[in-house]
Amino acid sequence: MALLQDNKDIISIGKKEFNVLLNQQVFQDPLITEEDMAKVVDDWMNIYINYYSQQVTGEQQEQDKALQELRQELNTLASPFLAKYRAFLKSHEHPNHATSS
């Protein structure tokens, strides 16, 4: 079942807006853990999904499929962002922050 054009447009808009949000992030002290950043990104995705759930159209099955696709698209955008954050954290590790054995 192909998505309705209105829902494809909504997904496209959601992806663009989410990408803008990710690109606006500036990593600076105090840094949060990689796990906490993943939770933040997940919260952002849930906000977008909830917002766009009120705009998708069609039967319930169509709406569910559109929101599932939106979530997958947002996950696709979030993965490189989280990888970039992980690399940033590694580049800012301090030797004195290493755990002692």
Side-chain angles (χ1 to χ4, degrees), residues 10-98:
I10 288 168
I11 291 167
S12 179
I13 291 167
K15 284 173 45 180
K16 287 177 188 169
E17 290 179 356
F18 190 70
N19 200 43
V20 168
L21 171 71
L22 294 177
N23 288 332
Q24 289 175 337
Q25 301 311 303
V26 176
F27 306 144
Q28 57 191 15
D29 287 328
L31 299 175
I32 63 173
T33 66
E34 180 181 343
E35 294 80 17
D36 286 344
M37 180 59 82
K39 289 176 188 175
V40 168
V41 171
D42 192 52
D43 286 345
W44 289 339
M45 288 189 333
N46 287 330
I47 289 168
Y48 276 74
I49 299 296
N50 288 334
Y51 176 77
Y52 287 107
S53 70
Q54 300 168 30
Q55 298 184 33
V56 292
T57 61
E59 299 289 329
Q60 189 62 50
Q61 183 179 3
E62 164 73 13
Q63 292 179 27
D64 292 345
K65 183 174 180 181
L67 293 174
Q68 180 182 12
E69 185 167 325
L70 177 59
R71 181 172 292 280
Q72 289 171 344
E73 294 290 345
L74 298 184
N75 267 322
T76 299
L77 293 172
S79 291
F81 172 81
L82 290 171
K84 179 179 164 185
Y85 188 71
R86 186 178 317 112
F88 178 81
L89 285 178
K90 288 185 187 219
S91 72
H92 284 78
E93 286 180 346
H94 299 288
N96 58 351
H97 286 182

